[in-house]
Amino acid sequence: MSGLLEGKRLLITGVITDASIAFHAARVAQEQGAEVVLTGFGRMSLVQRIASRLPKPAPVIELDVTNGEHLDGLADKVREHVDGLDGVLHSIGFAPPSCLGADFLAAPWEDVSTALEVSAYSLKSLSTATLPLLSAGSSIVGMDFDARVAWPAYDWMGVAKAALESTSRYLSRELGPKGIRVNLVSAGPVRTMAAKSIPGFSDLEESWGDRAPLGWDVNDPEPVAKSICAVLSDWLPKTTGSMIMVDGGVHALGV
């Protein structure tokens, strides 16, 4: 299928390197006809350089999802490049080192609250910031890692992902009357910079392919990117509040 996103205007967050899931989602979206605007945080020159590697160079807007001024001004910044949005990808997550791969019981609230704000509450923040640009038929997609179970090393990021899952359901309830869908794509482990920062996460990567009925390649973000684009498209018009599992089938197994 080609032209799946023809004419769509998308805001994609979370591009850090060209290994990022968000980067590959932006690439596939452009290949499918979308006009893409990116957001970046921190090393903006790096994000802009990565953006130039897309099939079509994309504009980059600085966005710190904990910064009220950034959020308040986001719609106007986006309007400098497109006149509205048909879809938004939330691919944002962060937890301080004390929250990951260490002592779950020892992480202080100050660090846990940061993980929750950046990784979960920001889905609401981003949704409300872009709401003036969205209309009926629009799609908001968040990136998830299945938080229904406790994973080794994931610790408080797992709690934050559980909060993200709940937030997406409440957002789907609130935005549904406006015709806006809110869903999550729950991906298996992909070897990104974010994944490398989680101590012990490599153990999950090594075993995932053996467990997945369809197999799994931690170095191949393409299946996840394609699934994101499918959810951003018009082909799931009555799907909201859902988790689309893109993990090779591991979620379906009991062991």
Side-chain angles (χ1 to χ4, degrees), residues 76 121 212 231 249:
D76 288 338
Y121 184 79
V231 185

Side-chain angles (χ1 to χ4, degrees), residues 4-5 8 10 137 139 181 228-237:
L4 184 68
L5 295 172
K8 297 294 187 186
L10 305 179
S139 176
R181 294 168 285 135
I228 291 167
C229 289
V231 185
L232 287 169
S233 79
D234 294 331
W235 282 88
L236 286 83

Side-chain angles (χ1 to χ4, degrees), residues 86-91 123 126-127 137-144 164-173 175-176 179-187 227-245:
D86 303 291
V88 177
L89 175 63
H90 176 281
S91 186
L123 179 63
L126 182 64
S127 298
S138 299
S139 176
I140 298 171
V141 179
M143 290 307 307
D144 189 22
L164 177 74
E165 291 170 7
S166 185
T167 300
S168 73
R169 290 189 287 269
Y170 280 95
L171 281 172
S172 70
R173 184 193 69 182
L175 300 183
I180 299 170
R181 294 168 285 135
V182 184
N183 293 289
L184 299 179
V185 169
S186 182
S227 299
I228 291 167
C229 289
V231 185
L232 287 169
S233 79
D234 294 331
W235 282 88
L236 286 83
K238 293 299 181 183
T239 299
T240 195
S242 294
M243 289 170 55
I244 290 82
M245 313 301 288

Side-chain angles (χ1 to χ4, degrees), residues 12-18 20 22-23 26 38-41 47 50-51 91:
I12 294 182
T13 68
V15 173
I16 302 173
T17 70
D18 54 9
S20 303
F23 173 86
L38 305 179
T39 74
F41 171 69
V47 179
I50 297 302
S91 186

Side-chain angles (χ1 to χ4, degrees), residues 10-175:
L10 305 179
L11 182 70
I12 294 182
T13 68
V15 173
I16 302 173
T17 70
D18 54 9
S20 303
I21 290 174
F23 173 86
H24 289 279
R27 174 182 58 78
V28 173
Q30 285 187 343
E31 292 170 352
Q32 293 297 318
E35 188 170 359
V36 171
V37 178
L38 305 179
T39 74
F41 171 69
R43 294 179 291 176
M44 291 299 295
S45 60
L46 173 61
V47 179
Q48 289 164 348
R49 187 161 66 249
I50 297 302
S52 69
R53 298 178 186 172
L54 290 168
K56 177 183 176 182
V60 181
I61 298 169
E62 184 176 13
L63 176 63
D64 175 355
V65 290
T66 68
N67 184 315
E69 291 183 3
H70 283 197
L71 291 165
D72 291 343
L74 181 60
D76 288 338
K77 292 287 187 182
V78 172
R79 286 193 187 99
E80 294 176 9
H81 306 287
V82 292
D83 58 0
L85 289 174
D86 303 291
V88 177
L89 175 63
H90 176 281
S91 186
I92 298 169
F94 171 75
S98 68
C99 295
L100 293 162
D103 186 347
F104 180 82
L105 300 179
W109 168 244
E110 291 76 12
D111 288 351
V112 172
S113 64
T114 296
L116 291 171
E117 180 179 12
V118 177
S119 307
Y121 184 79
S122 64
L123 179 63
K124 192 285 298 185
S125 302
L126 182 64
S127 298
T128 53
T130 56
L131 194 56
L133 302 167
L134 299 169
S135 58
S138 299
S139 176
I140 298 171
V141 179
M143 290 307 307
D144 189 22
F145 188 73
D146 188 1
R148 297 175 301 171
V149 298
W151 296 103
Y154 213 43
D155 291 1
W156 285 101
M157 182 58 92
V159 175
K161 289 297 187 184
L164 177 74
E165 291 170 7
S166 185
T167 300
S168 73
R169 290 189 287 269
Y170 280 95
L171 281 172
S172 70
R173 184 193 69 182
E174 297 298 318
L175 300 183

